[in-house]
Amino acid sequence: MMITEATNNKPQTINHRQTTNNKPQTTNHKQKMSTDKSKLSAVEHIKVKSDGLRGTIKESLRDEETGAIREDDQAVIKFHGMYQQDDRDRREERAEKKLERLYSYMIRLRLPGGFLPADKWVKMNEIADRYSTGVIKITTRQTIQLHGILKSSIKPVISDFNAAELDSIATCGDINRNVTSSAYIQDTSIHEAVDVYADKISRLLMPKTKAYYEIWLDGEKLTDKEAEVDPLYQDRYLPRKFKIGIAIPPNNDTDVFTNDIGLIAIVENGKLAGFNIAIGGGLSTTHGNAETYARLGTVIGFADTEEKLLKAVYEIVTVQRDFGNRTDRKLARLKYTVDRMGADAYREEVEKRAGFKLEAPRPFTFTERRDVYGWEKDDKGNWHYTVFIENGRVTDENGVNLKTGLLKVAETGKVLFRFTANQHLILGDVKEKDKKIVQKILDEHNIDAHTKNAGAVRKNSLACVALPTCPLALAEAQRYLPTLISLTEPVLAKHGLENEGIVLRMTGCPNGCARPYAAEIALIGTGPGLYNLHIGGDRIGQRLNTKYKENLNEENILKELDSLFGTYVKKRKSGETFGDFTNREILGNLN
Ligand code: SRM
Ligand code: SF4
């Protein structure tokens, strides 16, 4: 079996050069980051003072004078899976009327591996209609968010989630987030063996505090503080957010190398033999800050048993807890710790703590990174239908009644909902005898036609939320990418490229929520209507792209793409993807 670049630990060396002039420095890893309290970032103080993530949230909720909560509490509620936001479209109008911003909250569910039984979708749909904008948003980490929830509705929402055995614990904040796992079913026995790890890891890395239950569900106030002593997170939690993803080769549908920890399932003789472990993936950069860079994970070893895997994962987290940067949040992700210590030194520290050595990485090959739309039959004879949901927005619009149709499908009780890390939805585990019923609903709501008719680039595209809710957005993303793709499709057709599944991703800022740096073409917002154009990433998520042009408006984006597509058609080698071609021919890199 061919050993991919990633097993040779190469992707990150290529990629640093592409996104930044920053050279990772290897220093004595024994030297932990400064613990001088005066240098710690503000959030570090908030966490420690928060009394087990309680802060003054209860007081903030009682304050009826404002739709907002206290500033410090805004950092604390993230650990409970929610963000304070405001409708940016209405800022001006509200300011003119001397009204405060229209504050509301986004709440994100914890769904390891992206599973949601049909009856819970029905409940979610009810909650979305009653308390939120009504749009159910599937995220790039296989879960769902509701937007526009008023302060007074947060408790009822969490209470309704709880009644449906759902929670939003640790889906945001400086803690391990939703664990993703490959959703594309190939071999069911392998999937069953792998998928359990998403849940096991999620549970292993949950915080011990009972604040969530106390605040949102009126649980009894804990008097025995010993019961929530947290050996993993202590009182300072992690220096920054932490993400774990699992992929089953050959499909890298979870973009495994973009996670702080990426686990690659190794299948030998038809059985799960264990996981290769990659560390230090992460995508965010900051415009104008050359110290920040996107990075793909470095494979550091292989674990063959559950015990070893969970121990290794746990200790990778504790090393980041102890060695990560707590003074500058821009440089606090694991990727920077790995580069500062060196990947070998990081592994050695993990091995020392875990009490065993990781084995050498095993060979693996990724050949694709995509959702496979429509019906697919698994080896047990069950059917799975992947619905194309543009940018994860489940709503009824433009003649496609996604929300109504999916509710009807859920009400049949004959499917298991599973979200993909590409913002789409799999209606899974459908029995042969039930397939017709599901198909009928998909037809009646125009969902099947919508899925079938979407063009190849649209099907492989991602956009983040951006405006109007994201406070960090510099430009539009999910509200604009569909239009831009409609304008790009004739350009693709002109060059005979309409069936090329080029991976195109757009974000409203450089934080990278739609994983743009791992796309063949990325458009990264710099200001209203303006985007940096990145090219040269590969199709399977093992090579980052490079900034090619800055601050392009729509007209210039289309001009650049027209020219690049034209050159591609003329000069590509047989079978060469657009990303590989632009990397070789336009950027002059050796593949
Ligand atoms: Fe993200 C912050 C939305 C996946 C990197 N992200 C945000 C916030 C919460 C803005 C904020 O801090 O106030 C956005 C809320 C927008 C809104 O109105 O809903 C937001 N991120 C999203 C989602 C919903 C995008 C989507 O359209 O699907 C994704 C939710 C995933 C989930 O379910 O947990 C989402 N974010 C990602 C990813 C992709 C991934 O994880 O696979 C990344 C890049 C990978 C990475 O983490 O390196 C990502 N989000 C960020 C960052 C930069 C983090 C950093 O390392 O500096 C921020 C800003 C921050 O943390 O300061 C951010
Ligand atoms: Fe907001 Fe930027 Fe993330 Fe888009 S990439 S959701 S604009 S933080």
Side-chain angles (χ1 to χ4, degrees):
M1 203 185 292
M2 190 185 111
I3 298 184
T4 64
E5 277 191 340
T7 50
N8 297 332
N9 296 347
K10 274 185 189 157
Q12 82 286 3
T13 38
I14 302 166
N15 296 318
H16 284 142
R17 270 182 274 125
Q18 289 171 346
T19 47
T20 168
N21 54 12
N22 179 58
K23 294 263 166 12
Q25 292 158 7
T26 313
T27 51
N28 177 3
H29 75 276
K30 298 286 174 208
Q31 204 184 336
K32 295 185 188 175
M33 290 302 296
S34 168
T35 47
D36 176 349
K37 285 200 175 139
S38 65
K39 291 194 179 138
L40 294 178
S41 68
V43 178
E44 290 301 320
H45 297 289
I46 295 172
K47 286 185 279 188
V48 172
K49 279 194 309 196
S50 72
D51 182 23
L53 303 181
R54 289 170 178 80
T56 54
I57 297 174
K58 283 189 174 178
E59 288 83 340
S60 276
L61 292 178
R62 277 197 293 268
D63 183 353
E64 289 175 6
E65 294 287 297
T66 168
I69 60 171
R70 295 176 185 176
E71 208 177 319
D72 283 7
D73 292 335
Q74 289 171 30
V76 181
I77 59 164
K78 292 185 185 178
F79 292 80
H80 302 280
M82 52 196 86
Y83 286 82
Q84 179 177 302
Q85 305 184 317
D86 75 286
D87 186 341
R88 292 181 59 183
D89 285 347
R90 300 188 58 187
R91 274 188 192 172
E92 220 170 292
E93 163 213 327
R94 310 256 320 166
E96 272 167 23
K97 291 185 189 155
K98 307 238 177 311
L99 292 170
E100 75 168 10
R101 288 179 176 176
L102 190 53
Y103 292 112
S104 67
Y105 297 80
M106 174 268 276
I107 305 185
R108 190 182 282 164
L109 282 182
R110 187 177 65 87
L111 297 177
F115 291 99
L116 189 72
D119 57 328
K120 297 191 183 186
W121 177 270
V122 175
K123 295 263 167 53
M124 263 294 307
N125 196 93
E126 264 171 47
I127 299 169
D129 284 347
R130 193 173 320 141
Y131 299 109
S132 80
T133 59
V135 177
I136 302 172
K137 159 76 186 175
I138 305 171
T139 76
T140 50
R141 293 197 69 76
Q142 273 187 316
T143 184
I144 36 190
Q145 294 183 171
L146 298 182
H147 290 93
I149 297 164
L150 296 177
K151 185 166 87 173
S152 56
S153 300
I154 305 177
K155 278 180 76 170
V157 167
I158 299 287
S159 164
D160 285 3
F161 279 161
N162 192 54
E165 293 173 6
L166 294 168
D167 68 74
S168 65
I169 301 172
T171 51
C172 319
D174 297 344
I175 198 160
N176 178 54
R177 307 275 186 103
N178 202 45
V179 181
T180 60
S181 184
S182 196
Y184 172 54
I185 298 276
Q186 298 146 80
D187 175 332
T188 48
S189 64
I190 297 298
H191 264 270
E192 280 158 16
V194 170
D195 284 339
V196 290
Y197 283 98
D199 194 51
K200 283 187 179 164
I201 292 169
S202 177
R203 285 172 195 277
L204 175 74
L205 303 178
M206 286 274 270
K208 295 279 179 284
T209 172
K210 297 285 170 268
Y212 181 88
Y213 298 96
E214 204 180 289
I215 297 168
W216 309 108
L217 297 162
D218 295 327
E220 248 172 70
K221 189 163 170 47
L222 202 76
T223 44
D224 175 16
K225 288 281 171 177
E226 285 298 305
E228 58 177 33
V229 167
D230 197 327
L232 173 61
Y233 294 118
Q234 303 169 350
D235 60 355
R236 54 196 178 135
Y237 295 85
L238 298 179
R240 205 63 165 87
K241 57 176 65 169
F242 199 93
K243 298 179 176 179
I244 301 179
I246 307 174
I248 308 175
N251 195 346
N252 184 19
D253 59 345
T254 52
D255 247 328
V256 72
F257 297 107
T258 64
N259 287 272
D260 294 88
I261 300 180
L263 301 176
I264 300 134
I266 302 298
V267 177
E268 288 169 355
N269 304 318
K271 294 226 156 60
L272 178 67
F275 293 89
N276 277 352
I277 303 175
I279 58 169
L283 294 181
S284 174
T285 69
T286 302
H287 291 316
N289 181 346
E291 281 190 276
T292 61
Y293 52 86
R295 184 186 195 282
L296 294 181
T298 306
V299 181
I300 57 165
F302 171 82
D304 63 344
T305 64
E306 175 177 330
E307 191 191 349
K308 282 187 183 165
L309 180 76
L310 295 183
K311 262 195 184 155
V313 164
Y314 188 92
E315 298 303 354
I316 291 166
V317 177
T318 66
V319 177
Q320 161 68 351
R321 178 197 65 204
D322 297 343
F323 288 83
N325 184 332
R326 288 181 186 264
T327 59
D328 184 349
R329 289 182 66 77
K330 293 268 179 226
L331 303 178
R333 290 292 292 274
L334 177 69
K335 59 185 173 181
Y336 300 111
T337 318
V338 170
D339 281 341
R340 202 178 60 250
M341 290 171 66
D344 287 341
Y346 199 106
R347 178 182 40 76
E348 282 161 19
E349 184 66 31
V350 169
E351 289 173 340
K352 195 176 84 191
R353 292 176 181 212
F356 64 88
K357 283 203 178 307
L358 290 170
E359 288 178 34
R362 303 263 171 108
F364 62 94
T365 309
F366 285 112
T367 55
E368 57 184 343
R369 175 181 47 161
R370 65 188 180 110
D371 288 348
V372 181
Y373 299 96
W375 289 111
E376 290 270 309
K377 195 176 191 175
D378 69 29
D379 54 334
K380 279 189 182 160
N382 287 332
W383 289 92
H384 307 261
Y385 186 100
T386 303
V387 184
F388 168 70
I389 301 184
E390 195 155 22
N391 307 319
R393 294 184 72 253
V394 179
T395 185
D396 292 344
E397 64 186 11
N398 305 327
V400 186
N401 295 323
L402 262 173
K403 191 157 168 243
T404 309
L406 293 180
L407 178 62
K408 290 237 162 84
V409 172
E411 282 167 348
T412 66
K414 297 182 188 307
V415 297
L416 173 67
F417 277 51
R418 187 163 191 199
F419 307 109
T420 78
N422 299 308
Q423 304 170 321
H424 304 294
L425 168 66
I426 300 176
L427 303 169
D429 287 355
V430 179
K431 301 265 174 293
E432 177 77 49
K433 68 178 176 49
D434 299 327
K435 194 175 162 227
K436 264 198 190 145
I437 305 170
V438 175
Q439 180 67 50
K440 188 164 178 280
I441 302 173
L442 296 178
D443 286 338
E444 282 168 359
H445 295 81
N446 207 10
I447 296 173
D448 189 44
H450 178 63
T451 295
K452 283 188 178 136
N453 295 339
V457 167
R458 201 181 293 274
K459 277 185 170 151
N460 274 349
S461 71
L462 284 180
C464 70
V465 180
L467 292 159
T469 50
C470 179
L472 309 175
L474 304 169
E476 296 281 355
Q478 72 177 16
R479 293 201 296 199
Y480 173 52
L481 187 60
T483 310
L484 185 72
I485 292 179
S486 298
L487 295 169
T488 307
E489 280 170 343
V491 184
L492 284 158
K494 179 177 126 188
H495 298 290
L497 293 173
E498 61 275 31
N499 296 321
E500 271 296 311
I502 299 170
V503 176
L504 165 64
R505 296 175 177 177
M506 170 180 276
T507 55
C509 86
N511 278 320
C513 299
R515 299 189 290 272
Y517 306 96
E520 293 179 272
I521 302 175
L523 292 160
I524 298 172
T526 56
L530 298 175
Y531 299 84
N532 286 347
L533 170 64
H534 289 230
I535 55 170
D538 67 3
R539 194 156 292 181
I540 53 174
Q542 291 192 187
R543 185 183 61 238
L544 295 178
N545 53 35
T546 300
K547 185 161 62 182
Y548 175 58
K549 293 278 153 108
E550 289 188 337
N551 297 319
L552 300 183
N553 61 14
E554 181 176 282
E555 191 188 343
N556 289 329
I557 292 169
L558 293 169
K559 256 193 215 153
E560 289 297 341
L561 292 181
D562 190 11
S563 154
L564 288 168
F565 293 154
T567 319
Y568 172 52
V569 169
K570 273 194 218 113
K571 297 192 175 171
R572 69 182 155 183
K573 292 182 186 165
S574 161
E576 195 173 30
T577 59
F578 181 76
D580 286 349
F581 169 79
T582 49
N583 183 55
R584 175 180 64 79
E585 175 74 25
I586 311 289
L587 303 171
N589 291 322
L590 294 175
N591 274 316

